[in-house]
């Protein structure tokens, strides 16, 4: 049981580090031709931790991370917060089953959530500023689903062994 | 981490109410303006990656071939020479124009000071039409200040931090810019669409003389921009007689994705510099 607490602490650190790395990735300047295909890195991280450690990662954490991203991105406050909370709700509802999904099904699942989140965000921007829904960049959602296996593999490594020196 | 007793659904409802409250407050009031300033400061460490990225071409230049460099210098010298000759003509034309303007008693518009700034981040998301630049009120940047590049108008400053400012592009939906058609001096207003690199001209009457390919420049009517900066080119003119106005779209002259440097302008007219609020156009459709 003591081991449990230690691993909980470790995964908390892992969550923080991976979120920060994802934010860093999302701040890079991508070539304009691929800009619309860049997945929401932070969302992928949120989905992973919701699936892998539902006990450590609550919906409130997802909401907080979203709010952090809103502040950094100079976006309308609450936009990412709400959409990440929604993603966390859906993921946590199926997390016990989704772990046993085949890889393909997981990819589709991630793709669906990503597109839903993009849709929600554009809808919020539509209500706030009158953006046209047709500007929805679903491509980034598809890319998110396609690179999910890679993200999962990397994060599996991180979560099993977040800090090898502490052993 | 504690397991909360409330079911996930109610947790979500709580967060939903919180988020909607935040969204409405942020959209309708200026309450969170300090938070945005904090955000602009918090961004700085995360921009490190982007800054390293922008240094890569500089480092790559160090390893460039000597002959290519010489070639480049020669090309630049030639270009410089051509530009110098052209500017001589420009000076003459400018003086003549000023003289004629004085004769007709039209106020002369002088280009004011310029400041070359770097883009730190272009567009967080494809529908977030703003860029972050590396100068703030420390260098005298003010809200409403026009930003241009060598190709034309980019947008105007909407938020100013200490060493950071946000420039909202003319393609942002809240932006409106008084423009003029070069061919026939037709005056109208360009409005952002939210799509990168696209604006529309929603207030042209059905009989208005406008065609695909018409060049648009700033008319100088809004007060922010001096007249004559390129804005874009008309790409589509739709005439639907059931509507009161033509549906005209235009492509902006500047594709921000490919711009490295931005020029901020200070108008020499003291009345125009300084305090001027964000120009918003009510979309009356």
């Amino acid at each position: 049981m003591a081991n449990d607490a230690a691993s909980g602490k470790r995964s908390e650190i892992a969550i923080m580090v991976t979120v920060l790395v994802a934010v860093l990735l999302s701040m890079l300047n991508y070539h304009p031709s691929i800009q619309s295909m860049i997945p929401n890195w932070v969302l992928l991280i949120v989905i992973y931790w919701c699936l892998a450690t539902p006990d450590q990662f609550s919906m409130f954490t997802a909401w907080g991370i979203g709010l952090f991203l809103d502040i950094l991105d100079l976006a309308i406050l609450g936009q990412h917060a709400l959409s990440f909370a929604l993603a966390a709700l859906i993921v946590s509802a199926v997390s016990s089953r989704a772990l046993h999904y085949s890889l393909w099904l997981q990819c589709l699942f991630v793709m669906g959530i990503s597109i839903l989140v993009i849709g929600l965000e554009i809808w919020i921007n539509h209500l706030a500023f009158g953006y046209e829904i047709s500007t929805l960049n679903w491509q980034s959602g598809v890319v998110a689903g396609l690179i999910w296996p890679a993200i999962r593999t990397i994060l599996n490594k991180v979560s099993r062994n977040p800090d090898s020196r502490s052993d | 981490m504690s397991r909360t007793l409330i079911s996930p659904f109610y947790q979500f409802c709580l967060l939903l109410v919180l988020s909607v409250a935040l969204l409405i407050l942020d959209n309708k009031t200026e309450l969170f303006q300090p938070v945005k300033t904090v955000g602009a400061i918090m961004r700085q460490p995360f921009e490190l990656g982007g800054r390293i990225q922008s240094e890569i071409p500089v480092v790559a230049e160090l390893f460039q071939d000597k002959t290519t460099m010489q070639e480049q210098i020669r090309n630049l010298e030639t270009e410089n020479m051509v530009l110098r000759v052209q500017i001589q003509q420009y000076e003459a034309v400018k003086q003549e124009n000023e003289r004629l303007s004085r004769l007709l008693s039209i106020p002369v518009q002088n280009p004011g000071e310029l400041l070359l700034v770097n883009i730190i981040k272009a567009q967080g998301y494809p529908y977030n039409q703003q860029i972050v630049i590396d100068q703030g009120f420390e260098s005298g940047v003010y809200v409403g200040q026009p930003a241009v590049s060598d190709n034309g108008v980019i947008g105007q400053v909407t938020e100013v931090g200490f060493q950071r400012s946000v420039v909202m592009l003319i393609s942002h939906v809240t932006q409106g810019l008084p423009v003029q058609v070069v061919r026939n001096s037709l005056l109208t207003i360009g409005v952002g669409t939210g799509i990168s690199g696209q604006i529309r001209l929603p207030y042209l009457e059905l009989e208005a003389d406008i065609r695909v390919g018409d060049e648009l420049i700033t008319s100088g009517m809004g007060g922010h921009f001096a007249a004559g900066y390129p804005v874009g080119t008309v790409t589509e003119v739709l005439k639907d007689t059931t509507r009161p106005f033509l549906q005209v779209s235009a492509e902006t002259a500047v594709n921000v994705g490919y711009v490295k440097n931005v020029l901020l302008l200070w108008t020499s007219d003291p009345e125009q510099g300084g305090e001027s609020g964000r120009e918003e156009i009510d979309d009356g459709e």
Side-chain angles (χ1 to χ4, degrees), chain B residues 138-155:
Chain B
E138 194 196 24
S139 13
V141 178
Y142 60 89
V143 172
Q145 186 165 24
V148 299
S149 84
D150 49 353
N151 290 328
V153 175
I154 289 179

Side-chain angles (χ1 to χ4, degrees), chain A residues 24 27-29 32 55 59 63 67-68 71-77 82 86 121-122 125 128-129 131 135, chain B residues 8 12 16 19 22-23 26-27 36 39 42-43 46 49 53 120-122 125 127 130 166 172-173 194-195 257:
Chain A
L24 203 70
M27 293 259 172
L28 290 180
N29 289 316
D55 291 337
M59 206 183 296
W63 189 80
L67 193 64
F68 177 62
I71 294 172
L72 281 185
D73 225 40
L74 305 166
I76 176 166
L77 290 185
L82 179 60
L86 178 68
E121 284 175 3
I122 200 121
N125 275 283
F129 303 116
Y131 273 103
T135 56
Chain B
F12 180 72
L16 180 71
S19 310
L22 265 181
L23 285 168
D26 192 22
N27 196 25
K36 307 259 159 157
M42 269 165 45
R43 291 177 64 91
F46 294 104
Q53 251 185 330
I120 286 184
K121 178 78 178 109
Y125 286 87
Y127 48 84
Q130 50 195 15
V166 178
H172 192 276
V173 268
I195 301 167

Side-chain angles (χ1 to χ4, degrees), chain B residues 184-240:
Chain B
N184 54 9
S185 305
L186 178 68
L187 293 170
T188 184
I189 292 168
V191 177
T193 55
I195 301 167
S196 184
Q198 267 189 48
I199 56 169
R200 57 200 179 91
L201 310 176
Y203 308 114
L204 281 172
E205 285 167 18
L206 290 177
E207 296 79 33
D209 176 19
I210 191 153
R211 307 178 197 141
V212 172
D214 275 347
E215 300 281 334
L216 303 171
I217 56 171
T218 52
S219 65
M221 299 285 244
H224 289 312
F225 273 101
Y229 288 101
V231 174
T233 316
V234 175
T235 51
E236 194 183 22
V237 179
L238 280 180
K239 190 171 181 176
D240 179 356

